[in-house]
Amino acid sequence: MATITARKRIWGWYFFDWASQPYNTLMLTFIFGPYFAQTATNALIEGGMAIDAAKAQAQAYWGYGLTVAGVAIALLAPVLGAIADSTGKRMPWIWLFSALYVIGSAALWWTAPQGFSVLWALFFFGIGLIGMEFATIFTNSYLPELDPDPAERGRISGSGWAFGYLGGLVALIAMLLLFQAGENGKTMAGLSPLLGLDPETKADTRIVGPLSAVWFALFMIPFFRYTRDDPAAPNTGLKLGQALADLKQTLRNLPRHPSLMAYLGSSMFYRDALNGMYTFGGIYALGVLNWSIIDIGIFGILAVLSGAVFCWVGGRVDRRIGPMPVIVFCCITLILTAILIISLTPTSVMWVPVPDGSAAPDIAFFIAGALIGAAGGALQASSRNMLTYQGNPERMTEAFGLYALSGKATSFLAPALIAITSDLTGSQRLGITPVVGLFIIGLILLAWVKRNGDFAK
């Protein structure tokens, strides 16, 4: 521990965001998610379903799959957080869930269109997602230990999230330049896909799973090298009963901490809405605007780049004025962006008709992507820091477990509402409308949140 300086600890912690971000960028939003929708749609069409109905059904499948994973995360997150706080050990759990991340993402190589299995794809995607989410819970709980100054933690959180976005950007660019083929069989760099990957079997797209697994395993090395549990923490061993009793006591005491309870409720809704925008953005562009995966990848580069820049900026604003104003501003921006997206069709922008073949809808969606990246990144970074103000300093891993619970207790809500609305309307565009209401509910609940929380001395 004597050779691990504070600077090394911070940079080691940053590398978790760099290593894990491709699951959000490549897998969830810009490459695998659209690939799943495209492949499932084609399978449904081959089975005799109409094109528009097949697109809506594929979006619904994706939503229901994410719903199941979200419920599993919601049920286990606070329990695992309580166990970690009771034993004083977080690192073994990060190793375990890192393994799930690698296994789940690598297994998606076996999702070729020939004999495509919706169940297989959703199961292993869910395994990787659960691994990523749980590893994040334990990693986030180290944030208060990186700097005793709450203002500096805002800067650290923002910089870490920006560094993670840069990691996602580099991984996405590598995917598009070296592996993902366009209609001409060449990548954006004009190359045949590396490793002899055959576009006919979509191997050039499916490689995103193993690529994300290797990326994570490689870049977690600095994290594991420089991040340590507190050696002074009591090692009491795994006592599930004690952990559950501690968690029960925390939940029972929540009404005595109204600011924390209101913040958990608020973030539950606005983070769920944001995840809905992330999760279905690429699928929306594929189905509504008829974009290719290459187009979606370029869109992703813009969104991730704007996210990296504004996470860094947001961290500095957070340090100066605190996380609350950043959260409010970002939620309002995302509400307006969601309304813009819902208004888009190939022949209209903000419900105003445009000529056939006009580039205006595509340009508007690129603008929306930049806004989602910018506001979404800053929102998540400041939300992570906001919890360090709201949670009990002596039970911070448990607090982040509750934070994950609040993020996942209704994490099924946005995917489920989008899935149900898509099913009922038969329209991908109208299926996105529930996210607006979720953002508004989150904003309203922020009115009961104290800037410095209930535990401020």
Side-chain angles (χ1 to χ4, degrees):
M1 285 293 291
T3 61
I4 301 178
T5 64
R7 181 178 177 83
K8 286 182 177 179
R9 286 201 73 191
I10 291 171
W11 273 100
W13 187 79
Y14 285 169
F15 262 96
F16 176 82
D17 282 333
W18 176 284
S20 63
Q21 183 61 32
Y23 211 94
N24 292 305
T25 304
L26 273 67
M27 304 286 285
L28 188 63
T29 306
F30 299 119
I31 303 294
F32 188 78
Y35 168 73
F36 173 91
Q38 186 179 59
T39 308
T41 296
N42 291 340
L44 291 167
I45 292 172
E46 290 174 4
M49 186 175 289
I51 293 175
D52 288 343
K55 289 180 178 180
Q57 184 62 59
Q59 179 168 285
Y61 281 149
W62 188 243
Y64 292 134
L66 293 176
T67 298
V68 173
V71 169
I73 294 167
L75 292 175
L76 292 175
V79 176
L80 291 173
I83 290 173
D85 278 332
S86 296
T87 63
K89 300 299 178 183
R90 289 162 286 182
M91 194 57 66
W93 296 100
I94 297 176
W95 277 103
L96 171 63
F97 293 117
S98 293
L100 291 185
Y101 181 115
V102 171
I103 292 168
S105 54
L108 295 176
W109 169 254
W110 291 280
T111 56
Q114 301 78 11
F116 179 75
S117 168
V118 168
L119 185 60
W120 173 280
L122 290 177
F123 175 77
F124 281 102
F125 183 88
I127 290 294
L129 181 63
I130 286 170
M132 187 269 290
E133 291 282 0
F134 280 141
T136 300
I137 292 169
F138 293 103
T139 301
N140 282 347
S141 70
Y142 287 106
L143 177 57
E145 301 171 19
L146 299 178
D147 197 297
D149 184 350
E152 288 301 313
R153 293 202 295 264
R155 176 189 60 81
I156 292 170
S157 182
S159 296
W161 216 284
F163 190 59
Y165 265 109
L166 285 177
L169 177 64
V170 173
L172 180 57
I173 291 174
M175 179 71 190
L176 296 176
L177 292 181
L178 303 177
F179 298 104
Q180 181 66 59
E183 294 181 359
N184 62 355
K186 301 293 184 180
T187 70
M188 283 181 60
L191 305 172
S192 296
L194 289 191
L195 308 177
L197 299 173
D198 184 5
E200 289 297 320
T201 64
K202 299 299 182 182
D204 59 318
T205 304
R206 292 184 286 119
I207 193 63
V208 71
L211 175 64
S212 298
V214 171
W215 179 280
F216 182 82
L218 177 63
F219 289 112
M220 280 296 283
I221 292 173
F223 174 84
F224 286 124
R225 184 174 181 182
Y226 295 127
T227 305
R228 297 286 188 275
D229 286 325
D230 183 356
N235 186 4
T236 60
L238 181 60
K239 295 183 178 180
L240 181 60
Q242 182 60 48
L244 291 175
D246 291 342
L247 174 62
K248 182 178 179 181
Q249 187 63 35
T250 298
L251 292 174
R252 183 178 295 167
N253 289 338
L254 263 183
R256 302 178 187 175
H257 307 295
S259 180
L260 172 61
M261 189 163 66
Y263 179 63
L264 291 174
S266 171
S267 67
M268 175 173 69
F269 287 104
Y270 71 65
R271 285 188 295 146
D272 195 25
L274 177 61
N275 288 334
M277 295 182 78
Y278 282 152
T279 303
F280 292 92
I283 295 174
Y284 186 92
L286 183 80
V288 175
L289 299 178
N290 301 313
W291 282 13
S292 69
I293 289 180
I294 288 284
D295 294 328
I296 295 169
I298 296 170
F299 168 83
I301 291 173
L302 176 63
V304 173
L305 185 59
S306 68
V309 171
F310 281 92
C311 277
W312 186 86
V313 172
R316 268 66 190 167
V317 175
D318 187 319
R319 177 172 62 177
R320 181 175 293 272
I321 62 175
M324 179 70 83
V326 177
I327 292 171
V328 171
F329 177 80
C330 290
C331 283
I332 293 172
T333 300
L334 288 165
I335 288 171
L336 297 176
T337 303
I339 293 171
L340 170 62
I341 290 173
I342 293 166
S343 78
L344 297 178
T345 73
T347 57
S348 67
V349 177
M350 291 301 293
W351 296 282
V352 177
V354 298
D356 287 341
S358 170
D362 294 330
I363 293 172
F365 199 72
F366 274 117
I367 293 171
L371 290 172
I372 293 171
L379 176 63
Q380 292 177 96
S382 286
S383 294
R384 176 167 65 180
N385 185 41
M386 186 67 164
L387 188 68
T388 68
Y389 288 80
Q390 303 296 321
N392 183 348
E394 298 177 0
R395 304 286 299 176
M396 194 52 67
T397 313
E398 183 180 82
F400 273 103
L402 291 172
Y403 183 65
L405 170 63
S406 73
K408 296 302 177 183
T410 60
S411 66
F412 62 87
L413 192 58
L417 288 175
I418 291 171
I420 293 169
T421 307
S422 299
D423 266 343
L424 292 177
T425 64
S427 167
Q428 280 188 276
R429 186 170 61 85
L430 295 178
I432 300 295
T433 54
V435 300
V436 176
L438 294 175
F439 274 125
I440 292 173
I441 294 172
L443 265 179
I444 292 172
L445 289 175
L446 280 176
W448 284 271
V449 178
K450 301 175 185 176
R451 292 195 178 205
N452 294 320
D454 300 304
F455 294 91
K457 295 180 180 179

